[in-house]
């Protein structure tokens, strides 16, 4: 089920940004048709794929996604091209699971190592996590960096205060926190975890303040390159990549939480069957006084990041993947706590342990089964995923198009440009008059225009275009077909030639 490319919006944009960074040193991309449309006074948004801002007069545009993950992928692109970069997310998922185990051992040394192993296994068998790691998405990297931040914070706390390595670990935690912010900005409240991690120690106030200061300074220094990118690409250090800040409001917190529980978090293949274990793990961690500093550290970091995410009005379950390690940890500790409870006392111990073991095994098996069966189902691909057959479809499309062709398409616009070498447009955003004017302009410039119907968005454009142009079918290609919301649709994409029947106005 490994992806053979990337399409859609975020998956494609991350990969394209990484390629541009590796080969050109800039995450922004040039869209020559954008400059042409700007000259004619036409809206330039259709000249860029979904996920990029409208190109300016120079045809250059920045993406709406953070630069942190493309920065990581750029190293893989430089080393082994796109093929190696596509393995970046799966490798990060494995690193996140290993770090989750290490964090479990670090913050709860009195817990069984099996609990940490269970947490890692729970993280690796999340269907949402696995599916998103099949494409070059940032979620697995955000998971790994968030857990690494917690590990370094607690590792620094556990050191002898006179050990100079303790301060170095606090600086390392600040750098990892900055990297987590780079990859996924809503992880910004994760830094709140530094307060209980430092202030619940027996260190002097001066030493506590020193560790917090070092953590903060390292985090700020680590964030400066990202702020510089914002300044250059968007005009101000604090300007966000996306224009969706209006979707942030405290009013969304409760509705978003209910939606995440109803439509995602409590599904069988996520944490529905494991919810009792998560609660048991939380109780176990808070119950004993010696564990409460660690519980406060994990809970404050998790709670702060969760609240900011829930305040986002368009929240989806994948946006919370970076917080799944916490739930996995608590579920692992919960299973261990129930096992220890079942072993207490002299009477009925074997029966209680048998019941607990049976319940935990059944819950874990029922949860993991849908994920473990994905390789045999053949439908593991999600938004942005490109199968081997679909990648061959892009190659066939490239062979059918002349070098000067311009392809009008939908959510596949970026992938068509990347894998066929032809420029693209997304005409759905234009009015009929703007669409007709752009088509006539291209024909006057000697550019042959094609219409690629790759889903619901382009089906509507096809219906409009029949009244504007003379269309002739060319063929069908096995490239991804998508609905307006990015959901996968059956069928093949149809290609048409477009003949303009009026001159440029």
């Amino acid at each position: 089920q490994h992806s053979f490319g990337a399409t859609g919006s975020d998956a494609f944009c991350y990969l394209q940004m990484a390629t541009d960074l590796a080969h050109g040193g800039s995450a922004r991309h040039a869209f020559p048709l954008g400059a042409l449309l700007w000259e004619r006074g036409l809206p330039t948004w259709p000249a860029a794929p979904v996920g990029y801002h409208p190109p300016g007069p120079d045809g250059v545009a920045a993406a709406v996604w953070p630069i942190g993950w493309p920065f990581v992928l750029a190293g893989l692109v430089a080393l082994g091209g796109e093929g190696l970069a596509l393995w970046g997310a799966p490798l990060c998922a494995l690193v996140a699971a290993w770090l989750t185990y290490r964090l479990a051992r670090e913050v709860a040394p009195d817990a069984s190592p099996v609990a940490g192993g269970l947490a890692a296994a729970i993280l690796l068998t999340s269907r949402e996590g696995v599916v998103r790691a099949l494409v070059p998405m940032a979620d697995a990297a955000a998971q790994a960096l968030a857990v690494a931040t917690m590990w370094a914070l607690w590792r620094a706390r556990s050191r002898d205060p006179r050990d100079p390595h303790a301060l170095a670990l606090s600086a390392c935690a600040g750098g990892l926190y900055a990297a987590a912010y780079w990859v996924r900005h809503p992880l910004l409240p994760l830094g709140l975890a530094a307060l209980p991690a430092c202030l619940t120690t027996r260190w002097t106030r001066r030493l506590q303040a020193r560790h917090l200061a070092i953590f903060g300074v390292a985090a700020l220094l680590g964030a400066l390159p990202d702020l510089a990118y914002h300044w250059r690409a968007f005009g101000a250090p604090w300007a966000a990549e996306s224009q969706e800040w209006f979707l942030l409001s405290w009013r969304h917190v409760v509705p978003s939480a209910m939606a995440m529980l109803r439509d995602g978090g409590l599904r069988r293949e996520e944490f529905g069957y494991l919810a009792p274990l998560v609660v048991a793990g939380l109780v176990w961690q808070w119950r004993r006084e010696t564990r409460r500093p660690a519980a406060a550290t994990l809970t404050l970091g998790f709670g702060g990041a969760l609240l900011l995410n829930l305040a986002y009005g368009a929240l989806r379950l994948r946006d919370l993947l970076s917080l799944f390690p916490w739930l996995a940890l608590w579920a692992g500790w919960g299973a261990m706590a129930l096992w220890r409870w079942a072993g207490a006392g002299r009477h009925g111990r074997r029966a209680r342990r048998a019941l607990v073991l049976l319940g935990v095994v059944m819950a874990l098996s029922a949860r993991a089964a849908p994920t473990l069966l994905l390789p045999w189902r053949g439908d593991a691909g999600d938004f942005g995923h490109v199968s081997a057959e679909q990648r061959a479809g892009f190659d066939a499309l490239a062979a059918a198009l002349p070098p000067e062709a311009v392809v009008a398409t939908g959510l596949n616009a970026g992938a068509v440009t990347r894998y066929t070498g032809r420029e693209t447009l997304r005409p759905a955003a234009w009015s009929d008059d703007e669409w007709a004017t752009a088509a006539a302009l291209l024909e006057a410039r000697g550019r042959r225009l094609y219409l690629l119907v790759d889903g619901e968005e382009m089906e509507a454009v096809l219906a409009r275009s029949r009244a504007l142009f003379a269309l002739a079918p060319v063929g069908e290609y096995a490239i991804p077909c998508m609905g307006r919301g990015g959901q996968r649709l059956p069928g093949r994409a149809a290609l048409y030639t477009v003949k303009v029947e009026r001159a440029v106005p």
Side-chain angles (χ1 to χ4, degrees):
Q1 301 296 326
H2 175 61
S3 185
F4 288 81
T7 187
S9 56
D10 29 6
F12 160 75
C13 290
Y14 284 135
L15 188 58
Q16 187 60 55
M17 291 169 71
T19 303
D20 292 335
L21 279 168
H23 296 156
S26 172
R28 298 191 296 169
H29 191 76
F31 301 97
L33 288 181
L36 178 62
L37 297 175
W38 184 281
E39 291 176 6
R40 298 293 301 181
L42 290 169
T44 61
W45 192 290
V50 178
Y52 275 89
H53 288 278
D58 58 356
V60 176
V64 302
W65 308 106
I67 197 175
W69 178 230
F71 188 81
V72 175
L73 284 181
L76 299 180
V77 171
L79 289 173
E82 180 182 293
L84 182 59
L86 291 172
W87 285 100
L91 290 174
C92 284
L94 293 174
V95 171
W98 179 76
L99 287 170
T100 299
Y101 172 80
R102 295 302 308 162
L103 179 62
R105 300 294 297 135
E106 188 68 37
V107 303
D110 59 329
S112 168
V114 175
L118 278 178
I122 288 169
L123 194 63
L124 287 174
T125 52
S126 163
R127 187 186 188 282
E128 190 76 13
V130 168
V131 167
R132 299 300 177 181
L134 293 176
V135 291
M137 300 285 279
D139 307 297
Q143 276 186 352
L145 289 167
V147 177
T149 300
M150 294 295 100
W151 176 86
L153 268 176
W154 201 256
R155 185 76 171 166
R157 184 192 190 279
S158 303
R159 290 267 183 168
D160 187 308
R162 294 165 295 182
D163 187 347
H165 290 98
L167 290 173
L169 281 165
S170 288
C172 178
L176 289 167
Y177 168 52
Y181 153 80
W182 266 47
V183 171
R184 181 157 175 75
H185 294 340
L187 286 174
L188 192 61
L190 189 67
L192 293 172
L195 295 174
C198 291
L199 299 181
T200 58
T201 63
R202 295 182 178 179
W203 301 341
T204 64
R205 291 296 182 190
R206 184 175 182 179
L207 188 57
Q208 290 175 348
R210 184 181 298 175
H211 275 266
L212 284 173
I214 286 177
F215 174 84
V217 169
L220 179 59
L221 291 175
L224 286 179
D226 182 67
L227 298 178
Y229 166 71
H230 286 213
W231 197 346
R232 181 171 182 177
F234 307 106
W238 310 111
E241 296 93 344
S242 172
Q243 299 175 345
E244 292 187 338
W245 283 102
F246 69 94
L247 291 173
L248 281 177
S249 171
W250 63 269
R251 296 180 179 86
H252 298 312
V253 171
V254 173
S256 293
M258 298 306 295
M260 291 303 98
L261 292 175
R262 182 181 64 251
D263 302 330
L266 292 182
R267 288 195 312 231
R268 165 189 170 183
E269 59 267 32
E270 296 304 340
F271 291 93
Y273 290 165
L274 303 185
L277 299 181
V278 173
V279 173
L282 270 168
V283 171
W284 174 84
Q285 197 178 27
W286 279 99
R287 190 171 182 179
R288 182 176 293 180
E289 186 176 353
T290 56
R291 300 193 197 106
R292 287 174 190 165
T297 300
L298 290 178
T299 304
L300 191 57
F302 174 85
L306 178 63
L307 279 175
L308 181 56
N309 275 278
L310 291 178
Y312 178 53
L315 187 69
R316 294 157 294 182
L317 184 62
R318 77 167 183 83
D319 297 324
L320 300 179
L321 278 170
S322 54
L323 303 180
F324 276 24
W326 277 255
L327 300 176
L329 279 173
W330 287 322
W333 287 329
M336 179 207 65
L338 289 176
W339 178 259
R340 289 181 176 179
W341 165 82
R346 295 183 178 180
H347 302 291
R349 179 169 61 183
R350 296 180 66 180
R352 288 196 303 271
R353 280 199 159 175
L355 287 174
V356 167
L357 182 61
L358 179 63
V360 170
V361 169
M362 287 183 64
L364 293 174
S365 300
R367 176 189 185 269
T371 304
L372 297 177
L373 291 174
L374 283 175
W376 290 273
R377 289 178 54 183
D379 61 347
D382 205 85
F383 184 52
H385 185 270
V386 176
S387 67
E389 180 187 11
Q390 291 165 344
R391 183 60 184 267
F394 282 112
D395 294 339
L397 178 63
L401 296 169
E404 75 282 1
V406 174
V407 182
T409 186
L411 287 171
N412 282 304
V416 169
T417 298
R418 185 173 180 85
Y419 301 126
T420 71
R422 275 59 169 191
E423 293 183 83
T424 58
L425 293 170
R426 296 186 298 111
W430 275 327
S431 66
D432 285 353
D433 186 63
E434 290 167 341
W435 175 211
T437 300
L441 176 63
L442 290 172
E443 183 158 297
R445 296 292 182 99
R447 307 294 299 273
R448 296 179 63 179
L449 182 61
Y450 290 79
L451 196 68
L452 182 66
V453 182
D454 60 353
E456 292 177 343
E457 177 182 317
M458 288 306 296
E459 287 173 358
V461 173
L462 176 64
R464 293 166 48 200
S465 299
R466 292 189 188 279
L468 300 172
F469 316 114
L471 304 178
V474 176
E476 294 185 346
Y477 302 88
I479 67 175
C481 292
M482 291 171 273
R484 293 185 182 274
Q487 68 273 25
R488 294 193 306 166
L489 298 176
R492 299 162 66 90
L495 183 68
Y496 297 83
T497 58
V498 177
K499 178 64 177 177
V500 179
E501 296 182 326
R502 68 183 180 91
V504 179

